[in-house]
């Protein structure tokens, strides 16, 4: 998990072997999908971060069907970095990537392609294969890797979505396991590599004052919001296949929920963390379709690649339950959507009110309970809302937010999630990757909703999703109410304090 650690050497002999026979450090990266969108937006910038930190010491073999030259791929790397990296580029770091790059042009369905990948590996025997490709091709590529023996001491990184439902996730796990052991499989969820996601762990484990209050006796609800103020941005075809639940709820947001709800592990090892997160997933009730509202933004059906009568959701709000001794009866609300009022991802842990609200402001729309807010985007921060005496003659409480912004103390560049995770995968550290069973449990939780979901309600671009109005059908009204916290959602707090939810219903 540490970007500044010493790099691994070239070749398994140089790097040493782990107990399960894989190299301690991968000796090459095979990037399937280097001409694609994810590579351009996230993976090349991540490799750049690793290069800057002196941790990119292995050859990179790109493999895709485009009939490109190596020079074209290098140009793609440069243009990606120019677009995605803030500030002036470090030419040594750019050179570090392009000097290590080779390119194999070929269809993944052709055995010949893998013969050429094998040749390009040039003796590397423990490659990290990154599958930045359509999920429908995972099986084909895993088989190709198996045919050339790249699975034996190698590792594989699998992108999301990991399956479409529980049944397909099980099949995919079985496919991967036919060529790789569990220790060699890295199911990437970039939310798990984000700094503020990791702070959920640290904050919970490092602040003893919250431990006694972290349960059903003190917490009224947990609210998780992932709002994006942009639409599908040219990814309409992809979005039609997934929708919001598959795109971000089954993976990112349930992983975040598990970090909030898990018991403290006995240590910080990958195994213990995975075990505790797994227990949360197992304790989660399968989501009731009556607790789910789906929405679709006005104009979505006009996006490229989107069906004119699409029913795919671009917004979802739902209520989930963790039926454990710690959390029984505490609703966990999740909402996520495109084309929303703002871009904001955050978790609000709302505490119960005191037994008596002696000094509550009679003018306030609702009493100010304490709440802890973990802001993941935009900016990154944590804040605690407490009540103090309002200044002046009357003895009335006033809510104030005590805030910490990560940028205020950050020393050095911001570490991107993908860089952290690729660095971890190269070193075989699975701490921040999703395990097979927990991915399957997460599918079990949302399966009834992805299988037969209620119709999506329209909502205006720039809004907070479908709204209560008198024309709603009774079923939709019931669902909307069920998926809305008592007293309403806490609206996200922006770093400049622009949107404050204090007292807002
Ligand atoms: N884009 C994003 O923001 C995100 C994507 N993901 C996941 O990452 C993965 C990749 O997504 P994305 O980059 O958007 O996809 P793209 O469609 O942009 O890229 C797909 C890549 O796969 C290659 N490819 C496809 N079919 C073949 C084939 N038969 N033979 C050889 N090469 C092939 C393409 O090469 P060529 O063009 O040369 O044919 C291209 O490099 C998906 O699993 C997606 O769900 C996850 C999170 C975010
Ligand atoms: O995985 C995905 O995540 C992005 C949002 O990620 P972020 O790190 O930029 O917050 C989302 O836009 C995309 O639809 C989804 O596939």
């Amino acid at each position: 998990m540490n970007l500044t650690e010493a790099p691994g050497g070239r070749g398994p002999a140089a790097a040493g072997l782990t107990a399960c026979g894989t190299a301690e450090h991968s000796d090459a990266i095979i990037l399937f999908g280097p001409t694609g969108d994810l590579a351009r937006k996230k993976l090349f910038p991540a490799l750049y971060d690793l290069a800057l930190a002196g941790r990119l010491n292995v050859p990179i073999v790109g493999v895709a069907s485009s009939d490109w030259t190596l020079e074209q791929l290098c140009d793609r790397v440069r243009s990606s970095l120019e677009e995605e990296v803030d500030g002036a580029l470090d030419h040594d770091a750019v050179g570090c990537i392009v000097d290590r790059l080779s390119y194999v042009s070929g269809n993944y369905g052709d055995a010949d392609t893998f013969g050429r990948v094998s040749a390009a590996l040039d003796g590397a025997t423990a490659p990290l294969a990154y599958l930045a490709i359509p999920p429908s091709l995972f099986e084909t590529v895993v088989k190709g890797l198996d045919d050339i023996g790249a699975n034996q001491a190698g590792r594989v990184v699998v992108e999301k979505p990991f399956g479409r439902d529980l049944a397909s996730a099980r099949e995919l796990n079985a496919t991967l396991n036919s060529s790789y052991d569990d220790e060699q499989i890295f199911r990437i969820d970039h939310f798990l590599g984000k700094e503020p996601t990791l702070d959920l762990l640290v904050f919970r484990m490092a602040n003893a004052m919250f431990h006694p209050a972290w349960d059903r006796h003190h917490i009224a609800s947990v609210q998780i919001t992932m709002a994006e103020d942009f639409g599908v941005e040219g990814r309409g075809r992809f979005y039609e296949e997934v929708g919001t639940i598959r795109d971000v709820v089954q993976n990112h947001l349930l992983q975040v929920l598990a970090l909030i709800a898990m018991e403290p592990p006995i240590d910080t090892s990958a195994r213990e963390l995975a075990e505790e997160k797994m227990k949360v997933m197992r304790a989660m009730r399968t989501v009731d379709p009556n607790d789910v509202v789906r929405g679709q933004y006005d104009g979505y059906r006009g996006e490229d690649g989107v069906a004119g009568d699409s029913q795919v959701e671009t917004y979802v709000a739902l209520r989930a339950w963790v039926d454990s001794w710690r959390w029984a009866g505490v609703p966990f609300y999740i909402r996520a959507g495109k084309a929303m009022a703002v871009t904001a991802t955050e978790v609000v842990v709302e505490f119960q009110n005191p037994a008596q609200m002696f000094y509550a402001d009679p003018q306030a729309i609702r009493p100010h309970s304490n709440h802890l807010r973990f802001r993941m985007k935009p900016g990154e921060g944590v804040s605690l809302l407490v009540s103090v005496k309002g200044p002046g003659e009357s003895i009335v409480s006033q809510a104030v937010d005590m805030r910490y912004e990560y940028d205020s103390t950050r020393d050095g560049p911001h570490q991107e999630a993908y860089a952290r995770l690729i660095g971890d995968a190269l070193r075989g550290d699975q701490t921040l990757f999703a395990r097979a069973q927990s991915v399957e449990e997460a599918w079990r939780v949302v399966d009834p909703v992805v299988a037969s979901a209620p119709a999506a309600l329209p909502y205006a671009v720039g809004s907070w999703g479908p709204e209560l109005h008198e024309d709603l059908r009774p079923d939709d009204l019931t669902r909307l109410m069920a998926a809305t916290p008592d007293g309403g959602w806490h609206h996200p707090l922006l770093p400049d304090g622009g949107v404050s939810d204090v007292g807002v219903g």
Side-chain angles (χ1 to χ4, degrees):
M1 287 163 63
N2 182 353
L3 268 187
T4 57
E5 281 174 17
R10 173 83 200 270
L17 295 181
T18 65
C20 66
T22 50
E24 270 176 9
H25 195 285
S26 301
D27 60 0
I29 297 172
I30 315 177
L31 177 53
F32 292 93
T35 56
D37 187 59
L38 183 70
R40 183 178 59 76
K41 285 199 310 221
K42 299 286 186 191
L43 304 184
F44 294 138
L47 293 177
Y48 174 80
D49 281 356
L50 286 171
L52 273 181
R55 290 200 54 204
L56 188 65
N57 287 6
V58 295
I60 307 158
V61 180
V63 194
S65 72
S66 290
D67 184 19
W68 282 13
T69 60
L70 175 59
E71 200 40 48
Q72 280 174 292
L73 184 58
C74 292
D75 285 345
R76 168 58 68 93
V77 171
R78 289 188 195 98
S79 63
S80 146
L81 299 179
E82 276 155 16
E83 281 164 28
E84 303 295 333
V85 173
D86 289 338
L89 286 180
D90 180 308
H91 291 288
D92 289 344
V94 179
C96 176
I97 302 175
V98 297
D99 291 349
R100 285 174 167 70
L101 206 54
S102 59
Y103 182 58
V104 171
S105 160
N107 195 294
Y108 302 147
D110 297 341
D112 173 57
T113 304
F114 286 87
R116 285 180 292 122
V117 170
S118 182
L121 283 173
D122 193 24
T125 54
L128 176 77
Y130 197 118
L131 310 191
I133 57 175
S136 56
L137 290 166
F138 287 166
E139 188 170 355
T140 309
V141 170
V142 167
K143 185 178 171 308
L145 288 164
D146 195 317
D147 288 346
I148 59 169
N151 59 322
Q152 285 168 16
R155 301 187 170 104
V156 63
V157 179
V158 189
E159 261 299 340
K160 61 162 273 267
F162 194 90
R164 305 188 37 75
D165 52 19
L166 178 57
S168 57
R170 282 187 175 142
E171 277 172 30
L172 180 51
N173 275 326
T175 299
L176 292 168
N177 277 137
S178 66
S179 297
Y180 289 92
D181 291 335
D182 280 339
E183 296 73 26
Q184 297 172 280
I185 302 169
F186 293 76
R187 295 170 195 79
I188 199 163
D189 183 321
H190 77 279
F191 265 49
L192 291 177
K194 283 175 182 264
E195 201 88 335
T197 311
L198 297 173
D199 190 46
L200 294 175
L201 266 180
V202 174
F203 194 91
R204 280 200 53 199
M205 306 307 155
N207 293 295
M209 62 186 282
F210 292 105
H211 281 249
W214 209 253
D215 63 15
R216 61 193 298 267
H217 302 297
H218 302 87
I219 291 177
S221 75
V222 176
Q223 303 182 14
I224 302 174
T225 294
M226 178 179 176
E228 296 180 311
D229 67 0
F230 47 88
V232 291
E233 292 194 311
R235 292 174 76 211
R237 199 175 309 281
F238 162 79
Y239 215 79
E240 281 287 274
E241 294 288 315
V242 289
T244 309
I245 301 171
R246 288 187 176 98
D247 189 31
V248 299
V249 176
Q250 182 273 342
N251 34 65
H252 304 328
L253 302 183
L254 289 188
Q255 290 290 335
V256 166
L257 185 153
L259 291 173
I260 292 284
M262 73 181 200
E263 298 297 317
I266 58 170
D267 60 41
T268 59
S269 65
R271 194 182 65 170
E272 294 303 331
L273 285 171
E275 186 63 24
E276 295 307 337
K277 276 176 26 190
M278 178 64 202
K279 284 187 200 157
V280 175
M281 295 287 185
R282 290 213 324 254
M284 282 194 77
R285 206 181 294 174
T286 297
V287 171
D288 180 345
N290 291 319
D291 286 354
V292 179
V293 174
R294 298 183 330 130
Q296 188 185 81
Y297 65 82
D298 296 337
Y300 171 71
R301 293 176 185 180
E303 302 269 11
D304 274 355
V306 172
D309 59 353
S310 172
Q311 281 301 321
V312 169
E313 80 278 358
T314 58
Y315 171 89
V316 68
L318 61 83
R319 182 173 59 178
W321 302 96
V322 180
D323 289 332
S324 63
W325 280 67
R326 187 184 285 271
W327 294 110
V330 178
F332 285 74
Y333 296 98
I334 296 178
R335 64 174 167 172
K338 301 271 186 199
M340 307 280 292
V342 294
T343 292
T345 302
E346 60 168 45
V347 180
V348 173
V349 177
E350 182 173 75
F351 290 85
Q352 291 174 7
N353 286 323
Q356 300 288 342
M357 303 293 285
F358 286 145
Y359 301 113
D361 179 354
Q363 310 295 323
I365 296 170
R366 66 177 169 191
H368 303 140
S369 57
N370 295 131
H371 56 256
L372 253 179
R373 187 192 297 266
F374 299 94
R375 181 157 39 74
M376 308 171 81
K377 198 175 184 182
E380 295 167 355
V382 59
S383 63
L384 176 64
L385 188 116
V386 296
S387 288
V388 298
K389 180 190 171 302
E393 194 175 334
S394 50
I395 308 180
V396 168
S397 72
Q398 170 186 306
V400 292
D401 232 336
M402 305 195 317
R403 291 198 206 163
Y404 166 68
E405 302 286 331
Y406 283 80
D407 274 346
S408 61
T409 53
R410 202 188 315 273
D411 183 15
H414 183 273
Q415 184 172 307
E416 287 298 336
Y418 271 95
R420 181 195 298 276
L421 295 172
I422 294 173
D424 285 359
L426 283 165
R427 291 186 303 110
D429 182 346
Q430 290 190 317
T431 309
L432 301 179
F433 291 83
R435 296 298 174 95
Q437 235 190 326
S438 93
V439 170
E440 289 181 12
E441 283 295 334
W443 277 118
R444 193 257 312 147
V445 170
V446 297
D447 233 23
V449 198
V450 292
S452 63
L457 303 172
Y459 65 93
V461 170
S463 71
W464 279 104
E467 281 168 11
L468 275 180
H469 61 83
E470 56 211 17
D471 299 335
L472 277 183
R473 294 187 317 126
D475 282 1
D476 289 331
L477 183 63
T478 310
R479 280 193 277 268
L480 193 51
M481 301 288 283
T484 306
D486 285 349
W489 287 91
H490 290 284
H491 285 320
L493 200 59
L494 302 180
D496 62 1
V499 180
S500 168
D501 71 343
V502 178
V504 173

